[in-house]
Amino acid sequence: MEITWQTIAFAAFAVMTLGGGLMVVISRNLWHSALFLMLSFFGTSGLFVLLVAPFLAAVQVLVYIGAIAILVLFAIMLTRRMMGLEETQNTQWPAAAAVAVILFIILVITVSPLVDEKAVTDIFGDKVANFNANLPVDPDAKDSGVVANQDLNIVTVEAIGEALVTRDGFVLPFELASILLTAALIGAIVVAREDEA
Amino acid sequence: MVPLWFYLVVSAALFAIGAYGALARRNAIAIVMSVELMLNAANINLVAFWRYLNPFEINGQIFAAFVFIVAAAEAAVGLALIIAIYRSRQTVIVEDVNMLKW
């Protein structure tokens, strides 16, 4: 595989995602953890851009960095006495590290058959080949049969919005998600507010 | 183009990091952050498989969008619970919150 700008961008965003994630779990200062969490979210957003999912990348920045990370920062400030803990990891951290490493190894072993790019089509059937038969594939990756980025213009925000509200699309999950968000909103207010009798 | 397994390995690594954080951190807010990392890892996986295997259906992106929704709800309720616990027990260390432990 030759080194292209895409590869370099992928490496940069992957380092951002994983480095940020690692600092979240090992940083002693909780405030720094939250800031590294933002970095990790931003790296994920970059990966979404590379995967030609610009809508999800924008939502990632808005929802994760703009809402969830800010919510975490507020929670840290509201519990500020807990920020400077002497011990940030509990006594079972070696076991936790072992579990994480074993999990990673198992996942990598599961993924390893896909290293051969032709195997992707073999494992997942002819679906990929059928879909892409009439379309020009990415010239950088002829063997893999992956569609080139510029042929993906059909997946627009409009298409996503339509899929969310059409009957043979996702209208039921969409409404359920609305109920879930409303319940979460009310639940969060009820749980977190002060009892004034 | 970057092969599919690059994304899958990054996602696996991010998930393992999040799992370590959820198991080893003492501060409940740090645990919530680790869970968010794991949700992010799952999302990278969903979008990568969508892009490489079935890019002309938007199902993969919709799945990822629903993960966003669940993550937002989870963060809101989780942090509200942590703040409520802090108010009644003056701690967010999960080992000290053992009222329900027999």
Side-chain angles (χ1 to χ4, degrees):
Chain A
M1 192 184 68
E2 69 206 272
I3 304 291
T4 58
W5 283 111
Q6 214 174 0
T7 325
I8 296 167
F10 173 82
F13 286 128
V15 166
M16 217 188 268
T17 307
L18 293 182
L22 200 61
M23 290 307 291
V24 169
V25 295
I26 63 175
S27 173
R28 304 191 69 81
N29 185 326
L30 198 60
W31 187 260
H32 294 169
S33 284
L35 295 181
F36 278 116
L37 184 72
M38 282 182 171
L39 182 71
S40 178
F41 287 161
F42 191 78
T44 313
S45 159
L47 291 180
F48 286 164
V49 171
L50 287 181
L51 287 165
V52 202
F55 172 70
L56 288 181
V59 172
Q60 171 88 11
V61 172
L62 286 175
V63 172
Y64 271 100
I65 300 178
I68 294 179
I70 297 296
L71 206 59
V72 169
L73 288 179
F74 267 99
I76 291 171
M77 285 193 283
L78 286 171
T79 61
R80 211 167 44 164
R81 235 161 30 79
M82 292 286 147
M83 243 170 74
L85 291 177
E86 290 295 311
E87 305 253 315
T88 53
Q89 323 276 318
N90 59 24
T91 49
Q92 65 186 7
W93 73 265
V99 167
V101 169
I102 291 169
L103 184 66
F104 178 66
I105 291 170
I106 291 173
L107 287 173
V108 168
I109 290 171
T110 317
V111 166
S112 58
L114 299 181
V115 171
D116 178 15
E117 291 190 357
K118 286 199 182 67
V120 177
T121 30
D122 293 342
I123 292 170
F124 295 98
D126 301 328
K127 207 169 195 176
V128 185
N130 286 343
F131 258 117
N132 304 347
N134 303 321
L135 285 151
V137 294
D138 189 340
D140 295 339
K142 277 198 181 66
D143 298 341
S144 63
V146 174
V147 183
N149 285 349
Q150 52 269 28
D151 293 318
L152 272 178
N153 296 332
I154 51 159
V155 183
T156 56
V157 180
E158 192 184 345
I160 295 171
E162 248 171 49
L164 280 175
V165 292
T166 44
R167 189 149 30 133
D168 35 357
F170 294 86
V171 67
L172 185 63
F174 181 69
E175 297 296 336
L176 283 175
S178 317
I179 295 172
L180 174 73
L181 280 177
T182 314
L185 180 71
I186 297 171
I189 293 171
V190 169
V191 168
R193 71 182 225 165
E194 311 214 27
D195 314 324
E196 79 271 358
Chain B
M1 204 163 131
V2 185
L4 171 62
W5 64 275
F6 275 34
Y7 287 98
L8 300 183
V9 169
V10 168
S11 148
L14 192 61
F15 192 88
I17 290 170
Y20 169 77
L23 290 173
R25 292 299 295 244
R26 293 175 74 212
N27 192 316
I29 298 173
I31 293 176
V32 170
M33 286 197 266
S34 305
V35 173
E36 297 295 338
L37 286 181
M38 288 197 277
L39 284 166
N40 249 303
N43 247 351
I44 294 175
N45 238 343
L46 288 174
V47 179
F49 272 115
W50 162 78
R51 173 69 185 83
Y52 281 83
L53 294 184
N54 208 350
F56 294 105
E57 300 275 334
I58 46 183
N59 303 8
Q61 286 207 32
I62 305 257
F63 261 51
F66 282 117
V67 175
F68 282 134
I69 294 169
V70 174
E74 175 253 324
V77 176
L79 293 172
L81 281 172
I82 290 169
I83 288 169
I85 290 168
Y86 181 73
R87 197 170 279 140
S88 66
R89 308 278 294 190
Q90 266 70 50
T91 182
V92 290
I93 308 298
V94 283
E95 293 142 40
D96 298 343
V97 186
N98 52 5
M99 290 167 279
L100 289 177
K101 204 169 173 184
W102 187 41

